[in-house]
Amino acid sequence: MLKGFQNFILRGNVVDLAVGVVIGAAFSGIVTAFSAAFLNPLIKLATGGGTRVGGAFVVNNVTFDYGTFITAIINFILIAAVIYFLVVTPMNHLTTRFKQQDKPPVAEPSNEEKLLAEIRDALRAGGGLQPPTAAQGEARP
């Protein structure tokens, strides 16, 4: 049962994307309410108060409400930070953990393989195989 749940979490498909969009939309509402209740009054206080959030300036009878833009930037940063720290980081951690469990253990080379590797390394080093000497008990022709 847990293996099936693991496979469901780690595969990316349309259903997972739809769930993410719904959660993101719900979270966007929370951030909007937070901005209206807390951020907008703080921006009004920092920029001198008034009816507009953060103030505005007028050029040729056109009003530029920069307070709304500041609020939108703060909303974006809050949403991006929460999504990153509460969704992306844990999912990356889970993905690496599950991938580590899936790797088969590396087999230790046998004694024969180790000996063959030593012979290969000696041949590559240029040492080659030395013929036995007379001191080793063999007569030379």
Side-chain angles (χ1 to χ4, degrees):
M1 183 172 173
L2 290 176
K3 186 70 172 173
F5 182 69
Q6 173 186 347
N7 291 337
F8 170 73
I9 287 177
L10 294 180
R11 74 169 187 224
N13 62 18
V14 177
V15 175
D16 297 337
L17 181 61
V19 170
V21 168
V22 170
I23 290 173
F27 184 72
S28 177
I30 291 171
V31 171
T32 302
F34 174 76
S35 295
F38 295 102
L39 291 181
N40 291 349
L42 287 175
I43 294 172
K44 285 181 184 180
L45 283 174
T47 58
T51 58
R52 294 183 185 267
V53 177
F57 60 91
V58 178
V59 175
N60 291 334
N61 293 328
V62 177
T63 304
F64 294 89
D65 186 11
Y66 63 85
T68 304
F69 181 68
I70 292 171
T71 303
I73 290 173
I74 293 172
N75 286 349
F76 173 76
I77 291 171
L78 285 174
I79 291 172
V82 168
I83 295 295
Y84 179 76
F85 290 115
L86 295 182
V87 176
V88 173
T89 303
M91 281 302 294
N92 288 343
H93 180 70
L94 285 173
T95 302
T96 56
R97 174 179 266 175
F98 288 138
K99 284 185 180 178
Q100 288 174 353
Q101 291 176 357
D102 291 344
K103 292 181 182 177
V106 178
E108 183 70 26
S110 66
N111 288 337
E112 291 84 11
E113 291 172 337
K114 290 179 186 177
L115 182 60
L116 287 171
E118 289 177 18
I119 293 170
R120 179 199 62 215
D121 294 341
L123 288 173
R124 283 185 182 163
L129 297 175
Q130 301 296 328
T133 61
Q136 292 174 339
E138 293 186 18
R140 297 195 71 152

